[in-house]
Amino acid sequence: DAGVTQSPTHLIKTRGQQVTLRCSPISGHKSVSWYQQVLGQGPQFIFQYYEKEERGRGNFPDRFSARQFPNYSSELNVNALLLGDSALYLCASSLGDSPLGYTEAFFGQGTRLTVV
Amino acid sequence: LAKTTQPISMDSYEGQEVNITCSHNNIATNDYITWYQQFPSQGPRFIIQGYKTKVTNEVASLFIPADRKSSTLSLPRVSLSDTAVYYCLVGEAYGQNFVFGPGTRLSVLP
């Protein structure tokens, strides 16, 4: 069975541009969460979606948005990119409605975004 | 929001047991303790989760004292492939507030 898949794996964008990152959860998982990981730091929570509804939002500006589709896949959008948005963006899926709670969360390999 | 404190780095040798302790002094009644492992350029991987006393699975043990203000991840007989960053997280089972700290960078030496 396939794990969590993210696309693209690497991306280079210019300041001010917009980017869309995609995530397909493990089959049967209804929860998808997004994290930003800057080099040398732990992942920081951005969003969680469960059954297509936003369940949680971290301390990120409104330039960050996300959505979940009927098949439970998800997209993370970032507008007006800044150099500081350069990071590894991770997606995690889980059965339960908590991002890292009672049920185990499975992470994808991430999308490495570089803003130049 | 329970904050966790872990050693920044640890060194060990192959075959040794490694214990990584995490402090969470303001853990709440409904909070669980979860550990994740992360290799470079990969997403974190779930290791173990517990609420109190001791939990053991095929890869690790988690020891939680009665006051739950700390927890210890125990990795038996580590190998070179256990070199990774280990994160301790504390949060409600059905909550949103899970915060990754900088983690503990474990280096296993031959």
Side-chain angles (χ1 to χ4, degrees):
Chain A
D1 193 14
V4 177
T5 57
Q6 294 186 242
S7 63
T9 54
H10 295 83
L11 202 54
I12 300 175
K13 289 287 190 178
T14 304
R15 276 180 300 176
Q17 285 188 315
Q18 175 264 343
V19 68
T20 298
L21 310 181
R22 296 175 176 84
C23 172
S24 293
I26 290 173
S27 177
H29 285 192
K30 299 180 179 180
S31 172
V32 170
S33 302
W34 288 94
Y35 296 81
Q36 180 196 65
Q37 186 172 27
V38 174
L39 196 62
Q41 298 182 18
Q44 301 302 306
F45 175 69
I46 309 175
F47 284 111
Q48 190 225 351
Y49 278 78
Y50 180 76
E51 287 279 20
K52 301 179 289 296
E53 290 186 359
E54 181 183 305
R55 288 297 188 93
R57 174 186 288 252
N59 188 23
F60 280 81
D62 292 342
R63 298 185 295 107
F64 289 77
S65 63
R67 56 180 175 169
Q68 187 177 33
F69 298 99
N71 66 354
Y72 303 111
S73 67
S74 178
E75 286 183 352
L76 175 70
N77 296 285
V78 187
N79 293 322
L81 285 167
L82 303 173
L83 295 179
D85 295 330
S86 296
L88 180 68
Y89 287 84
L90 295 161
C91 172
S93 77
S94 61
L95 279 170
D97 60 356
S98 174
L100 293 176
Y102 188 68
T103 57
E104 178 181 345
F106 295 83
F107 283 80
Q109 297 280 71
T111 293
R112 174 73 61 188
L113 172 64
T114 302
V115 182
V116 297
Chain B
L1 187 63
K3 183 179 177 179
T4 60
T5 304
Q6 307 172 231
I8 295 298
S9 64
M10 295 179 68
D11 290 338
S12 182
Y13 291 95
E14 279 191 292
Q16 289 188 330
E17 178 185 71
V18 170
N19 295 310
I20 305 174
T21 297
C22 178
S23 296
H24 27 81
N25 290 320
N26 57 344
I27 189 170
T29 302
N30 296 330
D31 286 345
Y32 279 76
I33 300 156
T34 311
W35 286 80
Y36 278 79
Q37 174 193 56
Q38 187 176 28
F39 299 112
S41 298
Q42 292 188 24
R45 183 175 71 101
F46 175 92
I47 302 175
I48 197 166
Q49 184 180 74
Y51 183 80
K52 62 180 179 179
T53 63
K54 176 184 175 182
V55 180
T56 298
N57 62 21
E58 62 276 9
V59 298
S61 294
L62 178 60
F63 298 92
I64 306 169
D67 66 5
R68 303 200 328 123
K69 294 183 183 298
S70 67
S71 58
T72 299
L73 174 72
S74 181
L75 304 173
R77 298 181 299 281
V78 294
S79 64
L80 296 176
S81 62
D82 292 317
T83 294
V85 178
Y86 292 82
Y87 296 99
C88 165
L89 293 90
V90 173
E92 293 183 8
Y94 298 102
Q96 310 298 324
N97 296 320
F98 286 88
V99 178
F100 282 88
T104 297
R105 187 172 301 276
L106 173 65
S107 297
V108 180
L109 308 172

